[in-house]
């Protein structure tokens, strides 16, 4: 994952503008861990959609890692997500507050599991968050 993200950073540096990373599921969890440990180039912002680890100990660490990511974070989850995601959702918000993470937002997507209509809503949430930050 680190090597993949480093190649993405190299390619994106040729283009002007902000570097926004969007990850879902275990990919979002991996990205959170990598950016929290600062072992890879940092994005300008991270959107984590339903982040989770399928391992209890790692999943328990996820809220702490999320609060340590230096970039602004938009944390999106759905009430239809699996229990790994829903168990850490309240703790992710609490850890972000404890870590004084200024540009952390958590949004719950209401409705059915992710489908075409939900992805339109997710895109609007991301756009609204970016607009709020002044992008």
């Amino acid at each position: 994952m680190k090597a993949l993200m480093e190649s993405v950073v190299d390619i994106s540096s040729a283009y002007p503008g902000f570097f926004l990373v969007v990850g879902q599921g275990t990919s979002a969890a991996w990205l959170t861990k990598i950016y929290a440990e600062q072992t890879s180039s940092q994005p300008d912002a991270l959107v984590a959609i339903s982040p989770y680890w399928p391992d209890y100990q790692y999943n328990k660490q996820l809220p702490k890692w999320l609060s340590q990511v230096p970039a602004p974070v938009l944390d999106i989850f759905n009430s239809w997500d699996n229990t790994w995601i829903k168990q850490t959702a309240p703790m992710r918000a609490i850890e972000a507050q404890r870590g004084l993470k200024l540009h952390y937002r958590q949004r719950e997507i209401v409705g059915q599991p992710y489908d075409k209509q939900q992805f339109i809503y997710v895109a609007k949430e991301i756009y609204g968050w970016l607009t709020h930050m002044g992008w």
Side-chain angles (χ1 to χ4, degrees), residues 55 87 98 106:
D55 176 83
Q87 284 176 345
R98 280 187 191 152
Q106 187 177 68

Side-chain angles (χ1 to χ4, degrees), residues 63 66-67 75 88-99 104 106:
L66 201 73
S67 71
D75 180 7
T88 59
M91 289 306 299
R92 293 193 308 260
I94 291 169
E95 284 295 326
Q97 275 187 319
R98 280 187 191 152
Y104 173 84
Q106 187 177 68

Side-chain angles (χ1 to χ4, degrees), residues 17-129:
F18 295 104
F19 180 50
L20 174 67
V21 175
V22 180
Q24 182 175 4
T26 54
S27 296
W30 266 110
L31 291 169
T32 299
K33 184 178 186 301
I34 289 168
Y35 294 141
E37 294 173 345
Q38 299 185 11
T39 57
S40 180
S41 299
Q42 297 292 315
D44 292 317
L46 172 65
V47 177
I49 302 172
S50 302
Y52 78 99
W53 289 95
D55 176 83
Y56 177 75
Q57 291 302 324
Y58 278 127
N59 206 50
K60 193 173 166 185
Q61 284 288 95
L62 185 60
K64 189 71 165 174
W65 286 326
L66 201 73
S67 71
Q68 294 171 347
V69 172
V73 176
L74 176 61
D75 180 7
I76 298 175
F77 70 101
N78 188 316
S79 60
W80 288 78
D81 285 336
N82 66 36
T83 55
W84 293 102
I85 299 163
K86 292 189 290 187
Q87 284 176 345
T88 59
M91 289 306 299
R92 293 193 308 260
I94 291 169
E95 284 295 326
Q97 275 187 319
R98 280 187 191 152
L100 301 174
K101 192 143 186 63
L102 181 62
H103 291 294
Y104 173 84
R105 297 293 181 267
Q106 187 177 68
R107 296 289 185 250
E108 180 177 1
I109 303 300
V110 184
Q112 297 295 317
Y114 297 111
D115 62 4
K116 185 177 178 182
Q117 291 296 88
Q118 294 296 77
F119 284 123
I120 293 169
Y121 185 73
V122 169
K124 288 180 181 180
E125 283 287 340
I126 294 170
Y127 179 77
W129 178 65

